[in-house]
Amino acid sequence: MADNDSPDQRKRELLAAVAAATAANHRQMALQQQHMQQFQQEKQQEREDQQREQQQQEQEQQQKEQSRQTNGADSRAAADNGSAASTGEDAAAAATAAAIQTLKPVTHLKFLEKLYAITHGDEDLLRSVVNWSEDGTTFWVSDLDKFCKHVLPRFFSHNNYASFVRQLNLYGFRRATESKGKAIPGQPSVERFIHPKFIRGRHDLLSQITRKSQAKRKSDQDSRKRKADGDECASDGFNRAAYDEQFQVLLGQHAQIQHQHTQMQAYHAQMQALHAQLQTQHSQLQVSQLEAEVKQMRGELANTNKLLDSLFGLLSQQQQR
């Protein structure tokens, strides 16, 4: 009985070992398949993330375009509201505007003619906003608000006081160094303007006032800048020649750094391309390895199944005996 049990015991142990090996192979195959599925899911997730990022960029671009259109519409609406608000002034302002409309526009005159008309006008409005010094060499605007609302639009088709001042500067007017003129009580005074050829009552001198050319304006600006730099250097005891030499050295170093930066950018682009190529090769290698392992495990499983069939055949033959 013991002899019969001994072969049976060995057979049972062999069958248990085969079953354990088969179960292990199944678990390993399942794990490999799980890894492959996880890898494929990660790739799919990466593609979906790229698509979402692209869609988000397109949406942001559309939102910016809509924002620009909305801002343009708001600007037009604000302009319309401002125009509507201007119609709601009090009775005194409305009366002043009506009086201004009765004056004949003079936008056809040149700037100097317009300036002379503004400073020598007989209308009460002009006399109330523009004042001359006693010697007739300087003038100033005593009511800036009324000047911008009613005088500038009549003569220049705009209400920008800064633009009016820039025109004065282009024709050689400068701000007077003496104190500001007396303004009407309750109204702010502004800086005086002076020109050696713009004098009260001297219309004949207008032809001697010329507009600065662009080259002349740039030359004046450069001259003022050089003078300011020279004054600053002289006050600090600065060596201009040494400064210029050092500046040229720094310019050369800056050019070298820019060249190196360009080379580094090109090298970085090459590294990024190589990295992308390596990632692709790595992904392909992982897939190939997984497929090879699955194929090998399937072969081992087939061999195990054949061994089991052989064992079951042996058992059947012994039982028949």
Side-chain angles (χ1 to χ4, degrees):
M1 188 70 179
D3 294 337
N4 292 333
D5 291 340
S6 180
D8 293 340
Q9 182 67 24
R10 287 197 297 271
K11 291 178 181 178
R12 285 195 295 270
E13 291 176 354
L14 180 60
L15 289 174
V18 171
T22 302
N25 288 334
H26 279 293
R27 287 194 299 270
Q28 189 174 3
M29 287 182 62
L31 183 61
Q32 293 292 342
Q33 290 178 351
Q34 183 179 0
H35 289 167
M36 182 176 291
Q37 291 177 356
Q38 183 178 1
F39 176 77
Q40 293 175 349
Q41 290 176 357
E42 290 177 354
K43 286 295 183 182
Q44 181 67 22
Q45 184 67 28
E46 183 178 354
R47 288 193 294 268
E48 291 177 356
D49 292 340
Q50 292 177 353
Q51 292 177 356
R52 281 195 298 269
E53 184 177 358
Q54 183 177 1
Q55 292 176 357
Q56 184 177 1
Q57 291 177 353
E58 293 176 354
Q59 291 176 357
E60 290 178 354
Q61 187 67 24
Q62 292 176 358
Q63 290 177 356
K64 290 180 180 179
E65 184 64 25
Q66 292 176 356
S67 177
R68 285 195 294 269
Q69 295 176 358
T70 303
N71 291 336
D74 292 342
S75 299
R76 290 191 295 271
D80 294 339
N81 292 335
S83 178
S86 65
T87 60
E89 294 179 343
D90 55 15
T96 302
I100 293 301
Q101 292 177 357
T102 61
L103 298 176
K104 184 179 179 180
V106 288
T107 56
H108 63 284
L109 297 176
K110 295 182 179 179
F111 176 78
L112 293 176
E113 294 287 352
K114 295 177 183 179
L115 180 63
Y116 192 87
I118 292 173
T119 55
H120 292 77
D122 295 332
E123 296 91 344
D124 293 338
L125 174 66
L126 297 178
R127 290 182 175 180
S128 65
V129 298
V130 179
N131 298 91
W132 282 92
S133 61
E134 293 182 0
D135 58 0
T137 58
T138 59
F139 71 92
W140 70 92
V141 179
S142 58
D143 191 334
L144 188 58
D145 183 66
K146 189 183 293 185
F147 183 78
C148 292
K149 281 185 177 181
H150 304 301
V151 177
L152 287 180
R154 175 191 168 195
F155 286 86
F156 300 103
S157 301
H158 67 78
N159 60 354
N160 191 338
Y161 178 74
S163 177
F164 172 73
V165 174
R166 282 195 296 270
Q167 287 292 325
L168 290 175
N169 293 333
L170 290 178
Y171 281 91
F173 286 81
R174 58 182 178 83
R175 290 175 174 82
T177 55
E178 64 263 22
S179 59
K180 296 179 181 179
K182 295 181 179 180
I184 299 175
Q187 296 179 348
S189 61
V190 296
E191 62 268 48
R192 293 172 176 239
F193 293 99
I194 185 172
H195 191 287
K197 300 298 183 181
F198 192 80
I199 301 175
R200 182 174 55 189
R202 295 297 304 273
H203 185 275
D204 58 300
L205 296 178
L206 294 182
S207 61
Q208 301 181 28
I209 302 176
T210 58
R211 191 174 188 270
K212 293 181 181 179
S213 64
Q214 184 175 1
K216 176 63 175 174
R217 294 197 301 271
K218 187 177 185 303
S219 176
D220 292 344
Q221 292 175 357
D222 294 342
S223 177
R224 288 194 296 269
K225 185 176 183 301
R226 286 194 299 269
K227 184 177 182 303
D229 293 341
D231 293 343
E232 182 178 357
C233 293
S235 62
D236 295 339
F238 186 74
N239 189 340
R240 182 71 184 187
Y243 173 80
D244 291 339
E245 183 180 356
Q246 183 65 22
F247 181 71
Q248 293 300 324
V249 172
L250 291 176
L251 284 178
Q253 293 176 354
H254 178 69
Q256 292 179 355
I257 292 173
Q258 282 186 326
H259 180 68
Q260 293 175 357
H261 178 68
T262 303
Q263 290 180 337
M264 292 298 296
Q265 284 182 329
Y267 178 75
H268 180 67
Q270 292 177 357
M271 291 298 100
Q272 283 185 328
L274 181 60
H275 179 68
Q277 183 178 0
L278 290 175
Q279 280 187 329
T280 302
Q281 293 177 356
H282 179 68
S283 301
Q284 294 175 352
L285 180 62
Q286 283 183 330
V287 172
S288 300
Q289 289 177 349
L290 289 174
E291 290 178 349
E293 290 177 358
V294 170
K295 184 177 180 180
Q296 181 181 359
M297 294 180 67
R298 286 177 178 174
E300 293 177 354
L301 180 61
N303 293 333
T304 302
N305 290 332
K306 289 181 181 179
L307 180 60
L308 288 174
D309 292 339
S310 299
L311 290 173
F312 283 127
L314 293 173
L315 289 174
S316 298
Q317 290 178 2
Q318 290 182 359
Q319 289 176 357
Q320 290 176 0
R321 291 177 184 177

